[in-house]
Amino acid sequence: MKVVIIAGGQGTRIRSVNSEVPKAMIPVAGKPIIEWEIEMAKRQGFEDFLIITGYLGEQIRAYLGNGERWGVKIEYYQEEQPLGTAGALGYLKDRLTEDFFVFYGDTIVDIDMQRMMDFHREREADATLFVHPNDHPYDSDIVDMAADGKVRGFFLKPHPEGFVSHNTVNASLFIFSPTVLERIEVGKKSHIEKNVLPRCLAEGLRLFGYNSPEYIKDMGTPDRYEAVGEDIRSGRVEKMNFKNSRKAVFLDRDGTINREVNLLDKAEKIELIEGAAEAIRRINKSGMLAIVVTNQPVIARNLCDFDELDRIHATLETRLGEEGAYVNAIYYCPHHPDSGYPEERKEYKIECECRKPKPGMLTRAAKEWNIDLSESYMIGDGKRDYEAGINAGVKRSIMIEQNAPNALLHAVEEILSGRNS
Ligand SMILES: [Mg+2]
Ligand SMILES: [Zn+2]
């Protein structure tokens, strides 16, 4: 499978070199960004690169050559004139006849590429977009996805007043099938996120969001180079690869993050408990995953359908985003064991494996996110939450007072201080 690296675009003047270089050649932790990308892919067996160069492209060719030094094969396409992030791809239809990765040349990234490729193939996707939750969705372009990852729409900023959505955004890394290239007009300026993907979606192509907590950062400002360089040196970039297990804090929803109102059935009823967003922001900063596991018998009882539950969760993500926090995933159990009510949905009135205190949601999340349960935590306001944590084998299960201001924050502080000592 080929890896296309888009390394055109403007040059950047940096102090350490004291002349203009293309962004891909900016040294971070002692090496040009694009070299980190090539080495990361090579480690995983991807050895076939096609680099799109533009202004100052000769610097990239002079440095990387045919790739021999890295044990890889590199070909190039030199843009005659800048045609946006996608324009050059229009000329490459003959050279890209199978699925291929697309990286931007100014991104430090370390991902399990095989895992993303499997995701793409299992879904027979035309395009797979690497997405992640973002802590400022109100001023970001949102990728709106269904529960199975299928992309439903793109909400480009600026958003209208009172806008509510999930918090996933493009992280600027893709797998495309050749079908995508057919939607790029040759010789015309266009951008992947703004033009090509919306067109693919409108024309019925299968687009999927691949939600991942792995490390990916593009280079914006000089302090970003510093921070990213530090992340490389400290091992943080590599540690976040899906191949390595992660720690998580599992969180109950009602009564723990948002106010318990007894069977929350409408998005308008979501109200964050004081200190909850701050608590989750601290989990985000710590590098642990924040994963919600919630019993939602409102489905079995037919008080709320799946669309409304989706809106409830989008609202929760929006409220958290307003305060700079995000959760990595939300798992819910739609079941309830006691049947016999006239309005109920029979198919969900079952004895399942996911309803807390059973550990099903935690064990499933552990499998899907490569979480080490024995190093993870559960926090909730009920006995069922506490027991689900114990049954899943977490390191510590913590019960907090329902709807109490800052109760979640105190529990998270305790976890984080324990880790440091
Ligand atoms: Mg609760
Ligand atoms: Zn269930």
Side-chain angles (χ1 to χ4, degrees):
M1 197 165 173
K2 267 202 174 91
V3 179
V4 174
I5 305 180
I6 299 172
Q10 289 169 343
T12 309
R13 195 164 282 278
I14 47 168
R15 237 176 309 157
S16 60
V17 182
N18 203 22
S19 65
E20 219 180 352
V21 297
K23 270 195 173 171
M25 289 300 291
I26 293 173
V28 175
K31 262 184 239 180
I33 298 167
I34 196 166
E35 188 176 356
W36 285 107
E37 291 182 317
I38 287 169
E39 288 181 345
M40 189 272 300
K42 159 74 181 166
R43 275 201 301 277
Q44 305 184 47
F46 293 84
E47 300 178 347
D48 199 358
F49 297 85
L50 172 51
I51 301 179
I52 297 170
T53 54
Y55 180 60
L56 301 172
E58 63 281 1
Q59 290 186 25
I60 297 175
R61 283 197 306 282
Y63 185 79
L64 294 173
N66 63 6
E68 217 173 2
R69 222 176 98 200
W70 290 267
V72 301
K73 184 177 138 244
I74 301 177
E75 350 162 23
Y76 297 90
Y77 174 80
Q78 171 69 33
E79 263 192 313
E80 299 298 325
Q81 61 188 91
L83 289 176
T85 55
L89 289 171
Y91 292 100
L92 295 168
K93 289 171 193 170
D94 298 342
R95 290 161 77 175
L96 298 168
T97 52
E98 289 168 17
D99 294 359
F100 57 94
F101 271 97
V102 177
F103 288 16
Y104 285 127
D106 61 349
T107 310
I108 288 290
V109 56
D110 199 322
I111 65 163
D112 183 343
M113 293 172 70
Q114 180 68 45
R115 189 178 186 278
M116 181 169 171
M117 203 169 99
D118 292 345
F119 176 97
H120 178 79
R121 295 206 166 138
E122 277 160 21
R123 282 157 187 78
E124 297 178 348
D126 291 295
T128 295
L129 291 51
F130 189 104
V131 299
H132 51 195
N134 145 312
D135 60 12
H136 51 98
Y138 47 86
D139 65 356
S140 304
D141 294 336
I142 302 290
V143 181
D144 183 48
M145 308 178 310
D148 64 351
K150 189 140 202 262
V151 175
R152 296 185 291 208
F154 297 103
F155 302 134
L156 304 182
K157 61 189 180 188
H159 303 300
E161 186 73 19
F163 173 72
V164 165
S165 78
H166 289 290
N167 60 6
T168 35
V169 301
N170 255 321
S172 305
L173 193 155
F174 313 91
I175 297 176
F176 287 163
S177 295
T179 46
V180 171
L181 300 177
E182 291 159 23
R183 273 78 187 175
I184 299 172
E185 270 179 75
V186 176
K188 258 188 89 180
K189 196 166 187 166
S190 70
H191 292 277
I192 291 176
E193 288 92 340
K194 293 224 183 310
N195 313 116
V196 179
L197 294 176
R199 179 171 171 195
C200 288
L201 190 65
E203 295 187 8
L205 264 56
R206 292 169 60 78
L207 272 51
F208 282 84
Y210 177 73
N211 187 9
S212 166
E214 295 166 292
Y215 194 98
I216 177 161
K217 271 198 184 133
D218 68 88
M219 296 296 143
T221 58
D223 20 311
R224 237 180 170 176
Y225 310 143
E226 290 300 315
V228 171
E230 189 40 46
D231 286 342
I232 290 177
R233 280 184 288 267
S234 70
R236 186 180 163 98
V237 175
E238 212 181 326
K239 217 168 87 188
M240 285 166 75
N241 188 301
F242 250 126
K243 290 187 168 121
N244 304 311
S245 67
R246 297 278 291 266
K247 300 171 186 184
V249 180
F250 293 99
L251 301 162
D252 170 49
R253 197 191 78 183
D254 304 325
T256 301
I257 299 172
N258 55 278
R259 202 162 291 282
E260 170 68 71
V261 295
N262 195 22
L263 301 171
L264 193 145
D265 58 355
K266 290 219 167 40
E268 290 69 33
K269 294 186 184 171
I270 279 272
E271 191 195 333
L272 293 186
I273 298 167
E274 193 185 321
E278 171 66 16
I280 293 171
R281 194 163 62 216
R282 295 213 193 161
I283 298 171
N284 300 150
K285 281 225 171 87
S286 76
M288 289 194 284
L289 302 176
I291 296 194
V292 174
V293 286
T294 175
N295 287 351
Q296 289 304 323
V298 285
I299 297 286
R301 296 177 60 164
N302 209 11
L303 300 169
C304 167
D305 60 18
F306 285 105
D307 285 347
E308 186 59 26
L309 188 55
D310 185 64
R311 273 191 290 275
I312 288 170
H313 289 154
T315 305
L316 180 65
E317 289 173 25
T318 300
R319 296 286 165 263
L320 289 172
E322 285 161 359
E323 297 190 47
Y326 63 86
V327 292
N328 296 92
I330 300 177
Y331 287 81
Y332 60 83
C333 163
H335 309 110
H336 195 267
D338 312 327
S339 62
Y341 301 89
E343 70 288 354
E344 72 191 16
R345 293 177 69 166
K346 284 249 173 324
E347 68 274 33
Y348 296 106
K349 282 286 191 177
I350 56 165
E351 197 61 66
C352 66
E353 290 307 314
C354 43
R355 184 172 161 82
K356 293 176 287 185
K358 288 197 177 152
M361 288 187 280
L362 288 85
T363 51
R364 190 177 142 209
K367 214 172 133 201
E368 292 179 351
W369 295 79
N370 195 10
I371 293 165
D372 181 354
L373 286 169
S374 70
E375 288 294 327
S376 297
Y377 302 84
M378 171 78 214
I379 308 174
D381 68 310
K383 200 162 157 260
R384 284 198 189 96
D385 304 318
Y386 177 80
E387 287 173 357
I390 299 296
N391 290 336
V394 296
K395 184 173 185 180
R396 235 183 110 197
S397 200
I398 302 173
M399 198 155 128
I400 59 172
E401 191 187 335
Q402 183 172 91
N403 293 350
N406 299 316
L408 180 58
L409 182 57
H410 291 146
V412 168
E413 277 173 344
E414 214 180 296
I415 288 171
L416 295 177
S417 67
R419 285 173 79 233
N420 294 337
S421 64

